[in-house]
Amino acid sequence: MTAQLIDGNAIAAHIRAEVAHRTAALQARGIRPRLAIVLVGDDPASQVYVKHKANDSTQTGLVADLERYPAIFPEAELLARIHALNADPAVHGILVQLPLPKHMDAHRVIEAIAPAKDVDGFHVANAGALLVGRPGFRPCTPYGCMKMLEHIGCELAGRHAVVIGRSNIVGKPMALLLLQKNATVTICHSATRDLAAITQQADVIVAAVGRRNLVTADMVKPGAVVIDVGMNRDADGKLCGDVDFAGVREVAGWITPVPGGVGPMTRAMLLVNTIEAAERAAAHPTPG
Ligand code: NAP
């Protein structure tokens, strides 16, 4: 069997078109959806990410304000800036690019963002909302993975989903979103024994570790859906995921490529969360 490709670029393009449509509807009412993107320091990868996020935003009609601060920027000043953005009714979404410089407490910074503007979905209020099944912002990467599963018509109820990785931004929220759809979920991590024995039973595998070739063909049940979140470099410096793509695609039913899979979906879901924030603000404007 050769797996069908889940084309993240194509699905993301479709989602961006929907966001552009929703943005135009708000603009027609005199509201300009606005995302503040805050970058502290000069991490090269972060600089590329924020540029992409700002470009994606403007291409869908959202206003993106990119604020850059030096690596030595004091945490107190960053917190003051976040409080000002929280209080500004013209700003609908706030994103602080991670990682932050070492002298800053990333938790404290993220918790300073108003949950209603936390379009990354990292605030504990949004994490808690996901845990108890209440509305809130979902972290963009697992949210994008769910959209991919939805797109291919993957029925999750009663199926066994195995998530490899348990980070707060990918693995844990991914597991909760799958659970919400009534999948039977197993979470694996660095202390998991016999990973292959677990993945071999999976109808859906989500690999979110950051280790090249972690998932090989012998670990995959024929016909399974394989979502590869990992971002690594191969020996030639080319971007690759956690899954041995060439081998696994001969066994799986569906598979995401890297690049062109989860990455573009993550970027698209940030736009979805931002337009959602603007729509909610428009529906419940703050007095004054
Ligand atoms: P992370 O915080 O480093 O978490 C990695 C997880 O993998 C941890 O839970 C760790 O377990 C687990 N792990 C490590 N070695 C393992 C092993 N041998 N077997 C099973 N589990 C193992 O990373 P992250 O932020 O979740 O990101 C994961 C990967 O996704 C990275 O490659 C990252 O670049 C990529 N990513 C991609 C996107 C995208 O848009 N495509 C977005 C976000 C992240 P412990 O908890 O026990 O340490």
Side-chain angles (χ1 to χ4, degrees):
M1 174 189 287
T2 299
Q4 296 192 62
L5 271 195
I6 308 177
D7 185 345
N9 282 323
I11 306 169
H14 185 71
I15 290 172
R16 282 196 302 273
E18 277 175 11
V19 171
H21 188 70
R22 290 164 70 180
T23 304
L26 279 185
Q27 281 170 343
R29 295 167 53 196
I31 299 159
R32 300 194 70 198
R34 185 178 290 269
L35 170 66
I37 303 173
V38 179
L39 174 64
V40 186
D42 42 23
D43 177 68
S46 293
Q47 299 206 29
V48 173
Y49 294 149
V50 296
K51 214 172 93 187
H52 283 152
K53 289 171 185 177
N55 286 344
D56 289 350
S57 302
T58 47
Q59 278 169 19
T60 42
L62 303 164
V63 181
D65 297 326
L66 180 49
E67 302 189 8
R68 298 168 186 269
Y69 299 103
I72 54 160
F73 198 55
E75 184 183 305
E77 286 189 38
L78 178 61
L79 294 175
R81 186 62 201 129
I82 291 171
H83 290 139
L85 292 168
N86 286 342
D88 184 349
V91 174
H92 303 103
I94 303 169
L95 179 157
V96 176
Q97 183 64 43
L98 300 177
L100 286 166
K102 290 206 168 20
H103 69 278
M104 290 187 176
D105 179 339
H107 285 289
R108 197 156 44 217
V109 171
I110 297 303
E111 297 318 309
I113 299 171
K117 298 189 180 188
D118 168 42
V119 288
D120 255 341
F122 294 166
H123 192 288
V124 287
N126 282 312
L130 173 58
L131 185 73
V132 298
R134 301 285 300 158
F137 293 115
R138 307 315 187 210
C140 300
T141 299
Y143 193 10
C145 295
M146 293 304 289
K147 284 285 166 196
M148 288 176 140
L149 293 170
E150 190 184 304
H151 185 87
I152 63 167
C154 179
E155 178 54 61
L156 289 166
R159 310 288 294 282
H160 187 193
V162 171
V163 179
I164 319 174
R166 58 172 166 182
S167 70
N168 289 332
I169 61 169
V170 188
K172 281 184 207 160
M174 185 75 233
L176 288 168
L177 287 166
L178 289 162
L179 191 61
Q180 232 170 48
K181 293 288 180 195
N182 296 323
T184 299
V185 182
T186 303
I187 306 175
C188 301
H189 45 77
S190 65
T192 295
R193 291 185 191 164
D194 201 353
L195 180 64
I198 297 166
T199 58
Q200 279 159 2
Q201 296 171 30
D203 300 303
V204 177
I205 297 173
V206 181
V209 170
R211 184 176 294 194
R212 185 158 70 97
N213 292 337
L214 180 82
V215 178
T216 47
D218 56 306
M219 296 167 71
V220 176
K221 183 164 89 174
V225 179
V226 179
I227 307 277
D228 192 353
V229 179
M231 283 198 312
N232 313 292
R233 297 276 165 194
D234 70 11
D236 300 325
K238 271 177 41 191
L239 191 65
C240 64
D242 290 347
V243 175
D244 168 24
F245 183 82
V248 171
R249 77 176 302 184
E250 299 305 323
V251 182
W254 292 89
I255 189 168
T256 62
V258 178
V262 176
M265 292 299 293
T266 297
R267 284 165 56 183
M269 299 325 286
L270 172 66
L271 307 175
V272 171
N273 279 348
T274 304
I275 193 65
E276 185 79 36
E279 287 170 349
R280 286 185 205 167
H284 305 284
T286 43

